[in-house]
Amino acid sequence: MAQEQSAQAEKPKQPKSFEALTPALAEWILDYASSMGFARTTPVQAMAIPLLMGNKDLVVEAVTGSGKTLSFLIPIVTRMLSAEEPNKKGYVRSIVVAPTKELATQIYDVLRGLLAFHPPSAAVLNPRQPDADDEDVMEVQPAEALSGPAIIPQLLIGGRAKLNEDIATFSHLGPNILIGTPKRLSEVLQSSKVVLKRHWFDLLILDEADRLLDPNFEPDLRLILDLVPKERRTGLFSASVSEAVDELVRVGMRYPFKISAKVRSKTGALDKRTPESLKLCYLTVKPTQKLPMLKQVLHARQTEKSIVYVSTRAGVDYWKDILPSLLGVSVFPVHGDYKAPVRAKNLRRFVECDTPAILLTTDVLARGIDIPDIDLVVQLDPPSQPKDFIHRCGRSGRAGKRGMAITFLNEGSEEDYVKYLDMQGTKLEAYPNPPAVSDEDAAQTIRMVRTTLVQKREIHDRSQKAFVSWVQAYTKTLPADIFNIKKVDWVELGKAWGLLRWPKMPELKRLFPQQLTDRVYGLDMSSDFDLDGLAYADKVREGKRQEYLEACARGERPAMSSKGGAAADAKRRKERAWSSQKDAKAVREGRRERKEVRRTAERVGLMSAEERVEAGELEELIGRVREQTEKAEAGEMEDGFEGFDD
């Protein structure tokens, strides 16, 4: 049975396990913890480090920004440096698994910063000057070039390098720590060049462990658990330990020790799930008032760095074109469809931006990411899973710094979300002194959004796609009785999104039938606005659209899309010559006849003599039926078919 302790239950103690290694080693570890903004060691580190150093399986549930990353990196480093032969090429001693590329990269960077305090490891990591458009990378010497114990990490994430390149890098470097995402880790660990021996492998760490057991990750994670030796130490770390983690504890851990590091709220309760330095607020407004309200909040608080969460990737692609001019700030978009270099570049540009900026993203950056000096977290859309609420908010108020998270809720049933979170142990306060937003402010915002939409047709297309994806995501948002798609105000939503017309989708057809006869119903569009006159900025795409419109004007059936899929297959079949189609049909019919003859022969071969006679009589009867039917259809039988005589 898992043992439990609370970080508030006793005064934090210095972790003697790593202090006993060498005074110098303990000192540079504590110096780095201090450089990261922690007071030497945090309560989580003071409790977790001795347990991992003492060969304990460990489950850690701690509030965001409490120093969980260092609490598992420090034991990995100290245990490895105290090993007899840590630099044996090809032998992996520890693995860290993270759910996202950004989190894996962050852990890798923290480890590099930690190793900078260790001279032998720092000598191995040789920085080179990057090009103007290159990422900050570190070159590592091969293991055989080392004269003493050192830590050699390798980052394994998709999109950064091809699989064969990662395997080649592994063979050259001989890393002893692997940090990466489940998919790429599982692919590399299956290589014959990777050695996972029982007497060499030490620690397996799962960061954001509950997220790793989502259906998207579970197969790869199970494969990793099967590949690593069973005789190991395992650590699970997350701000929210769910039933999925409890299941993983039973599968992959033995008698785990559980640390639940909590903080006291102002009322003295010990169940607060977020740090005391983070203030959680909510604003209940009409959909058309969200953006003007956000603009006034950003101005009033004079925020420099903010993160804005929306529910879908298509929403990020749409709002990135709308928010810069509307809010007067720089907007840097990040979502899961972006390639790894683009995600890293936008994230770096946001961090380095010296003017007010917004990081516009989805839940891909909701967990574990430590971005310095985030003043405000804004949730324009609620998370689909309630457990992700804490992780989103936790991007602010980290390491004891003050922060605020604001959640926007639509008037109506969504207001019950505050009570629901309160029942789950997360208390939200009403935003103090909310700014007043008039109907004219909302109307002005809608006009500004539509001004951006009519600049080019591509943005209009994104608005349609984003709205459809938002509706589909809303239907999957939990709790379903609070976020009920049947209760939304469609006219308010359409105006808030700045739609120029309603998209075609089953939800609107079923729940808002007025738009079937009038595609601009309730949107208050000008009567002289002609959507067909809105052109694409891409000349090739606009040319195809004009050809389509001209074909429709002539009463012709427009050609099918040239894109792949079923439409392309149908188009190719239709464009084939008639003679070729006839020959292909004859070939298919001949093939079917040969198969039927073969099956009949096989079936008859298994029959007895009596069964063959009965089958012959049945075939004769079927033949007579067909003959009579054909005569009746040809009009040769005046009275029709009356059946067979007895």
Side-chain angles (χ1 to χ4, degrees), residues 288 291-292 295 322 325-326 437-452 495 498:
T288 53
L291 293 181
K295 182 178 181 179
I322 304 298
S325 59
L326 187 65
V437 176
S438 65
D439 292 340
E440 178 55 32
D441 293 333
Q444 177 65 20
T445 300
I446 297 171
R447 288 193 293 268
M448 293 180 65
V449 172
R450 287 176 174 167
T451 299
T452 304
K495 291 180 180 179

Side-chain angles (χ1 to χ4, degrees), residues 175-189:
N176 42 28
I177 296 180
L178 300 181
I179 302 172
T181 50
K183 182 66 174 180
R184 183 51 58 91
L185 275 171
S186 64
E187 292 171 341
V188 172
L189 291 179

